[in-house]
Amino acid sequence: MIHLRHATRRQVRSRARTAPGRGPRRPSRVAALAAVALALLAAGCGQRMPHHTEAELQGRGDIQGSIRFSWWGSASRNDKTNEVADIFEQDHPGVRVKREAADFSTYFNRLNVQAAGRNMPCVTQLQARQLNDFTDRNALLPLDPMIESGAIDVSDIPEDVLDTGRGPDGKLYMLPTGIAYDALTVNASLVEEAGAQLPPENYDWEDYGHFLESLRDGLPEGVSPANYQGGLPNFFIAYLSGLGEDLFRDGRLGFSRELLTDYWEMWVHLRDEGVTNSPDEVSEEPPSPEAGYVAQGDVVSDSGPGNALTPVQSALEGAHPGQRVTTLPLPSGPAGTGNILVSSGMAIPRNCGNVPTAAAFIDFWANDERSGDTYASDNGAVSNTRLLERQLNDPDLPETKKHELTLYEELVARHPENVLYPPGYTAVFESAFTRAFEDISFGHASVPEAVDSFFAEANAGLAN
Amino acid sequence: MSTAPGLAAVRTPRQSRPAHRPRPPLFGRRLTRSPLLLAVARHSGLIVLLVVMLYPLLWMVGASFRPDNKVFTTLGLFTGDFTTSNYSSGWSGGDQLNFSRFFLNSLTITVLAILGNLLSCSLTAYAFARLEFRFKRVLFALVLGTLLLPYHVTMVPQYILFNQLGWVNTILPLVAPKYLATDAFFVFLMVQFIRALPRDLDDAARIDGCGHLGIFCRVILPLSVPALGTTALFTFIHTWNDFLGPMLYLTDPDHWTVSQGLGSFLDATGQSSYGSLFAMSTLSLVPIVGFFIAAQRLLVEGVATSGLK
Amino acid sequence: MKENDPGGARGGVGTLPGPGAPAQAAAGGARRRGGRAARDNRAAYAFLTPWLAGVLVFTIGPMLFSLYLAFTRYDLVSAPHWIGFDNFRHMFETDPRYLKSVRVTLTYVVVSVPLLLAFSLGLAMVLNRGLRFLTGYRALFYLPSLIGGSVAVAALWRQVFGEEGIVNKALGAIGIDHGSWVGNPGSALYTIVILQVWAFGSSMIIFLAGLRQIPRELYDAAAVDGAGAVRRFRSVTLPMLSPLVFFNLLLGVVNAFQAFTGAYVVSNGTGGPSDSTLFYTLYLYEQGFAQLNMGYAAAMAWVLVLGLAIFTGLLFLSSRYWVHYGDER
């Protein structure tokens, strides 16, 4: 922290210039006050991480005291999460789980500020997409020693799924607990009304195009066959994955400009064919799935989170009573399935002072039947296959949830590709991708121009 | 030093214009001089404008009484299916939502923040407006400087500081700085108000034997009611609506404020409930409206009657 | 200063913040009596104690720290790494989005500030006096300002300016077909302008306070002179209110340069579509908290401070020519 000490000196000097030299308050007292504040600041920034013993790194030790636990979600998920944490507290008298919930859009901003203060919660929920923002800054503890010591049991989690929590060094930094996937969400009632058929099993992008065209003339006024989603990163990843291409290689974009040009030209073509809605509509679409166009009955098909099926169906029921929505895998390609898994899970930050309890909590979350039943795969299908079976066998499982979990099982059976997201994935790649396509849609750039500027921006940002 | 420039400006035309001819009205003949018709016209104009401006809010109120999954189905205000379930489930649905607590928390923080700002900003403003002291220019430049720096960049160092002080997850980071006049906007506002008060009142009080504290309490404060009212009102709104601060510092749901509670209705990765969001947003306006009605009398009437003339 | 000065109360709200004027007055007093200066000095610092403590503990440290960060690369977790002026070079030479955000912000300032001032002044004049239910009207017109940056606003704005919004429904009724206003890069910025003007209540309140203070005699005198409504506005209201216009203008400009919440909420944090609402502070926030370039964000912030200082400085200079203070000769 050489630079920091340097800064402190500069700060003190410059304060001496502005602080009142004379006055009834002795300058020494004033200076002392400021010095304390600056010292605290400097200490906070240069603060060392706590030292962990070998046993602690293995998650062994007394399970007691308090830990903080943070996750993202809205009110209904918060309730389920709280219930699980309550059960854990009952199992371990003397343990307190302090909960910190926030909604997804603000969660990561807060987490970054907490990270700056070395104050991340002991059990921090992360997503594979943001995981390496944290591993890159060396903010997380590897979980492998805790797995070897038996503190965290992963025997019921499929290997493909577990791998989604690994960092670039191959170590496991996040235990995947809930696995989401994107799916083609289709308003089946409107398809039927248009006299068309759902895309066939293992359909590819060409089939999808035909499907959209078959819908074009039979839909009610104002309803489009598809959302104009050429700017949606997840859809493109499915396209890449179907071709067997890499999204990233060595921390840079792993695919060619030609490939992206083809992809975006395909979308422009779809729009010219009149099977999509307008870019204006897409850019104003609210982020919550149940306020989205498929859920409101304005669009027949779109790529969306598979675990949103239940809320989307409920919203559609309100907007157009009787209409039914379903989900299909995303289009496949020559190399197989287009779907990839998007896992969420739990990590232990380096600043955690109570690793054994944190490890015990993660183990409980991932393996305990009561935990699985209570949480009920609220944020993606539960990663533990034993718990997943229990849920699928539950006769009270709602129809849409059952569909969601069954589709998940199908997708996992196809061994989807695992994407190692580089640091800055969300902030750099996703936002640049969407923006570049918007430039095409709104006529600010041609497809090749947009591809070039996207490559330049993404590669520069990822190299940072 | 007497003639207000406005008056001079009015007089000039009279001198330059021939006095015998009345000036023709600017917009042709007046339509009417009947005060009743005029009032009706003004009221209807205002009401039309109000309806246009309040449409989004009225729509929100209407939507808050629709079933959760029918919220977005109409641009109209009311539909057939009326329900208050958004209010009951939003207020205390599940075990984490507890709006009676959130309202209490918000109210506590807001009241403490208002008191802090009133006290500390007026003290500070008195010094800058009435007293002469070393480094005054530099220090006042500092007040303005803090106004110009976007708060996002000081957020992280401040978090580190509060974390070191052990204040995270308490209301102190949101309240304590207000007692130390860190809201430069209000210092600036009050300096300008106080500087406008005639100094002869100070002098009179000094002759009566008042010190600076006496002048501040007996002369300046009573005359600054409008400024204090403005400060209180703006602090109320700002604190009540603040989301970023509570989000960072009040992590325990027991400490959540109303704005955090509202934030918990939407989530892109799970189930959102717009109905409850609109219902609770509607309710969250009630205290501010109440405070506004109370405070605006103070500040608007206060200026008129505080004897500044 | 012993005058029957009705302008004083208003003049104060907008007078130059430079401590010059009261400084002279107090200095005059100090010369009259020898010990007064020292006593004032002591008293001043006693009054300033809370503020000084606040500055020293909460403000100066973080401010200077952010200034230091402006010359570093800092990802919020690793130690800041000194890189000299690289952040500033990147800003002006190799970051097209930065320049875009400057353009967006300048457009916003130029369009929204005059609109906001005109609108709030106009309504303040209507709601000043001579009408029943004034309190009720004021409260109702103030309502939009209260909802602020609530998450609900995004949904409300779509209901108004979206593809299927009420504005397009109204336009459709008279045969005009228009796409989304919030979703189109050509118009999205202006929906944020309208959002800002919609929440005009705070500047209206300040204008109202000022209008109450204009003595009726001035209007009566003007009426005797046969001045019409426009003439009265130009010759009495505007000059008498100019300090407040100045105050609201200054704060309006500062706020507009720092505008964040409206665009953040409506564009869902992206500054979209196509960067058309990428406000300066929105981009700063994205750099600092999403892309984790806090050093760059800090550099952006200090460039903004510099720009604002110059801008407000010019505003103060210009105020000599158009702002009339009550206590001027």
Side-chain angles (χ1 to χ4, degrees), chain A residues 147-181:
Chain A
I147 293 168
E148 281 156 30
S149 75
I152 299 177
D153 177 15
V154 295
S155 52
D156 286 328
I157 300 177
E159 198 60 32
D160 283 348
V161 171
L162 197 63
D163 286 346
T164 58
R166 295 195 188 279
D169 57 2
K171 291 182 186 165
L172 190 75
Y173 287 98
M174 174 187 87
L175 188 83
T177 50
I179 317 300
Y181 58 86

Side-chain angles (χ1 to χ4, degrees), chain C:
Chain C
M1 303 269 268
K2 182 188 287 241
E3 76 287 319
N4 181 10
D5 171 23
R10 294 172 311 291
V13 189
T15 10
L16 268 152
Q24 284 150 18
R31 249 175 270 123
R32 275 200 301 274
R33 268 169 296 161
R36 175 96 173 266
R39 264 198 295 132
D40 267 15
N41 208 27
R42 268 201 303 279
Y45 279 100
F47 273 92
L48 284 179
T49 304
W51 177 76
L52 272 176
V55 163
L56 293 174
V57 176
F58 297 127
T59 313
I60 275 280
M63 258 178 105
L64 292 176
F65 190 63
S66 77
L67 182 59
Y68 159 69
L69 289 180
F71 297 93
T72 67
R73 186 163 44 224
Y74 177 49
D75 66 10
L76 290 175
V77 174
S78 327
H81 176 70
W82 185 269
I83 53 169
F85 282 90
D86 280 7
N87 284 330
F88 298 93
R89 263 195 291 277
H90 178 49
M91 213 178 287
F92 293 107
E93 286 168 12
T94 48
D95 186 0
R97 292 188 78 203
Y98 173 77
L99 298 177
K100 170 98 191 181
S101 78
V102 172
R103 269 200 301 280
V104 167
T105 311
L106 283 175
T107 313
Y108 178 73
V109 171
V110 169
V111 177
S112 80
V113 175
L115 269 179
L116 176 68
L117 288 191
F119 196 68
S120 49
L121 177 58
L123 264 174
M125 287 177 58
V126 174
L127 297 180
N128 180 24
R129 50 163 66 100
L131 207 62
R132 286 176 71 95
F133 315 119
L134 275 181
T135 310
Y137 277 126
R138 285 179 201 145
L140 288 174
F141 275 111
Y142 201 80
L143 261 177
S145 317
L146 304 180
I147 190 133
S150 158
V151 272
V153 165
L156 299 187
W157 237 230
R158 268 194 306 276
Q159 291 301 309
V160 177
F161 294 107
E163 179 93 16
E164 304 284 318
I166 189 101
V167 168
N168 278 351
K169 278 281 180 306
L171 287 177
I174 54 170
I176 301 173
D177 207 18
H178 195 284
S180 166
W181 300 84
V182 264
N184 192 293
S187 51
L189 179 60
Y190 299 97
T191 65
I192 313 275
V193 169
I194 295 175
L195 179 63
Q196 170 65 46
V197 175
W198 188 57
F200 68 101
S202 296
S203 37
M204 177 185 78
I205 288 294
I206 293 176
F207 278 137
L208 264 178
L211 283 171
R212 304 291 292 178
Q213 283 306 104
I214 300 181
R216 296 212 89 154
E217 304 90 74
L218 289 185
Y219 288 108
D220 295 344
V224 169
D225 290 343
V230 175
R231 176 99 223 164
R232 284 203 299 270
F233 175 73
R234 268 201 0 229
S235 306
V236 182
T237 312
L238 260 193
M240 295 302 282
L241 213 56
S242 62
L244 278 178
V245 174
F246 176 71
F247 181 81
N248 272 336
L249 177 64
L250 185 78
L251 287 170
V253 166
V254 172
N255 285 339
F257 268 108
Q258 297 186 355
F260 177 79
T261 316
Y264 183 83
V265 169
V266 172
S267 77
N268 196 33
T270 62
S274 201
D275 276 351
S276 59
T277 59
L278 187 72
F279 285 105
Y280 197 96
T281 42
L282 199 63
Y283 187 47
L284 184 157
Y285 189 75
E286 183 193 316
Q287 283 291 341
F289 292 94
Q291 302 206 22
L292 306 177
N293 299 323
M294 195 40 103
Y296 190 56
M300 282 182 66
W302 280 93
V303 170
L304 180 65
V305 169
L306 215 66
L308 272 178
I310 294 171
F311 209 92
T312 50
L314 288 177
L315 219 54
F316 274 117
L317 283 183
S318 82
S319 74
R320 291 186 190 166
Y321 303 101
W322 62 275
V323 178
H324 307 283
Y325 293 113
D327 53 0
E328 278 168 353
R329 266 176 209 285

Side-chain angles (χ1 to χ4, degrees), chain B residues 254-278:
Chain B
D254 281 347
H255 295 162
W256 274 11
T257 63
V258 171
S259 65
Q260 279 172 293
L262 294 180
S264 76
F265 288 121
L266 297 190
D267 186 87
T269 69
Q271 197 150 5
S272 302
S273 40
Y274 279 95
S276 301
L277 169 69
F278 293 143

Side-chain angles (χ1 to χ4, degrees), chain A residues 3 30 116 137 283-284 438-439, chain C residues 56 68 75-76 180 183 274:
Chain A
H3 291 294
V30 173
R137 296 180 290 168
S283 64
E284 73 166 57
E438 276 175 347
D439 284 344
Chain C
L56 293 174
Y68 159 69
D75 66 10
L76 290 175
S180 166
S274 201

